[in-house]
Amino acid sequence: MSNLTANEQGDAVVQPGRRATGIVGDRVFRQLSGLCALIVLGLIMAIAVALVIGAWPALRQFGVGFVTSTQWNPVTDEYGALVAIFGTLASSLMALIIAVPVSFGIALFTTELAPAWLRQPISTAIELLAAVPSIIYGMWGIFVFAPFLSTWVQPPLSRWLGDMALLGYLFRGPPIGIGIFTAGLVLSIMIVPFITAVMRDTFNVVPPLLKESAYALGATTWEVARSVILPYTRVGVIGGIMLGLGRALGETMAVTFVIGNAHTIPQGLFYPGNSIAATLANEFTEATGELYTSSLIALGLVLFLITLIVLVLARLLLMSLAGGQGHSEGAS
């Protein structure tokens, strides 16, 4: 009895020291974590400040007209970002339109339909696409994909859809194999692994009881996916889509190879165009003069702001969906 009492007294004596050590460790960990977050925030602010300083001569020279002008002529020192902005947004939007349904189908197949022995090989193969360098996608796009499109895809699309009232506008242009259409297709292949990985991981966290209950009531696989899986994982799904969009907006080398690099607003998807990243990759090493270099840096600033706006809107949408989901669960 006395030994037990002594042990208890010893624990009582040691416990405050342990608690103090734990408090100090938590404090140090909290400070280090906050420091890491501040470093990331500081880097973003430093990048923004450097871009503003570098772009200031062009912004002072052209003002708002830099964003609204389609002129890009290094000979006369006239620069505008509208063509590059249009090409960036058009190719990224097309990539999303193609990649999101494909990614959803792959994620649904690997989580719900594929046999167990096939799920891991398919998942590994999809993830390997993310490891392929972007320049390889670009070389494949211009030497293999573009000739295939110009021979077997673009002519039939122009013949079948080119004369339609509204949709035909998108499928007009010379079937040369390079342009916004090809850039969007290559970008869609590049962002599929990212969107698929996020969708697959979010689909796997759906409680099996919810899906089994729906199947027990006679629901089909599509009905379970539409009414159970997607509502439960909508926040993660949208986050994956925005991750893919951010990847598409900033892609450089692959787009540079296949977009055509023409400083004109394309009259259809088959026409060549340009993007912000492709313009920077093509012309930054050849820029001579302060205004030319500053205009290219201003393009980088515009791309930075576009990406920032997309991420902020995505964050607001996710917060709105999370709040709506919480209210619906509270009401139920």
Side-chain angles (χ1 to χ4, degrees):
M1 185 69 179
S2 59
N3 292 334
L4 181 61
T5 304
N7 291 334
E8 292 177 351
Q9 291 176 352
D11 292 340
V13 173
V14 175
Q15 190 65 29
R18 292 178 178 175
R19 187 180 298 112
T21 303
I23 293 175
V24 173
D26 289 343
R27 188 176 302 165
V28 172
F29 178 75
R30 187 182 301 110
Q31 292 176 352
L32 290 177
S33 301
L35 179 62
C36 293
L38 290 177
I39 289 175
V40 174
L41 183 61
L43 288 175
I44 295 176
M45 294 181 63
I47 293 173
V49 171
L51 289 174
V52 171
I53 293 175
W56 182 248
L59 298 178
R60 182 179 54 194
Q61 175 72 21
F62 303 111
V64 181
F66 179 78
V67 181
T68 59
S69 174
T70 60
Q71 295 294 323
W72 188 271
N73 192 341
V75 177
T76 59
D77 267 346
E78 297 180 5
Y79 304 100
L82 185 59
V83 173
I85 294 173
F86 179 86
T88 301
L89 296 179
S91 58
S92 300
L93 180 60
M94 180 178 174
L96 275 189
I97 293 175
I98 299 172
V100 170
V102 174
S103 300
F104 174 76
I106 296 173
L108 185 64
F109 179 76
T110 53
T111 56
E112 300 295 326
L113 300 174
W117 62 269
L118 189 58
R119 293 180 181 179
Q120 190 59 41
I122 292 180
S123 299
T124 303
I126 295 299
E127 291 170 356
L128 283 176
L129 292 176
V132 178
S134 60
I135 193 171
I136 301 300
Y137 280 108
M139 295 174 64
W140 169 76
I142 194 170
F143 291 120
V144 178
F145 203 39
F148 173 79
L149 291 177
S150 64
T151 304
W152 301 102
V153 177
Q154 291 181 348
L157 287 179
S158 297
R159 186 167 56 252
W160 298 336
L161 304 177
D163 295 332
M164 297 181 66
L166 297 177
L167 191 62
Y169 175 78
L170 300 176
F171 298 98
R172 293 173 184 170
I176 58 178
I178 59 174
I180 300 294
F181 184 77
T182 307
L185 287 177
V186 173
L187 279 177
S188 67
I189 298 172
M190 296 181 67
I191 66 176
V192 158
F194 300 94
I195 303 177
T196 300
V198 176
M199 284 188 177
R200 186 192 63 228
D201 292 341
T202 54
F203 289 175
N204 282 329
V205 301
V206 178
L209 182 61
L210 294 179
K211 295 184 289 186
E212 292 172 359
S213 300
Y215 284 126
L217 293 175
T220 62
T221 303
W222 167 245
E223 291 172 339
V224 171
R226 182 186 60 187
S227 303
V228 178
I229 297 178
L230 276 180
Y232 191 88
T233 62
R234 56 184 177 180
V235 174
V237 168
I238 293 178
I241 294 173
M242 292 305 165
L243 176 65
L245 177 58
R247 177 74 172 87
L249 288 172
E251 177 51 41
T252 304
M253 294 309 301
V255 175
T256 303
F257 273 88
V258 299
I259 200 170
N261 303 306
H263 283 295
T264 56
I265 297 290
Q267 302 300 313
L269 293 178
F270 295 164
Y271 284 91
N274 215 334
S275 70
I276 296 177
T279 303
L280 294 175
N282 282 324
E283 303 187 21
F284 203 87
T285 57
E286 302 176 357
T288 57
E290 181 185 16
L291 191 59
Y292 193 3
T293 304
S294 178
S295 298
L296 291 173
I297 298 176
L299 277 181
L301 178 61
V302 171
L303 181 59
F304 180 84
L305 293 177
I306 291 174
T307 306
L308 180 63
I309 292 173
V310 168
L311 293 179
V312 170
L313 293 178
R315 187 63 181 174
L316 293 176
L317 179 59
L318 293 177
M319 292 173 60
S320 176
L321 291 176
Q325 185 175 1
H327 287 309
S328 62
E329 290 178 355
S332 61

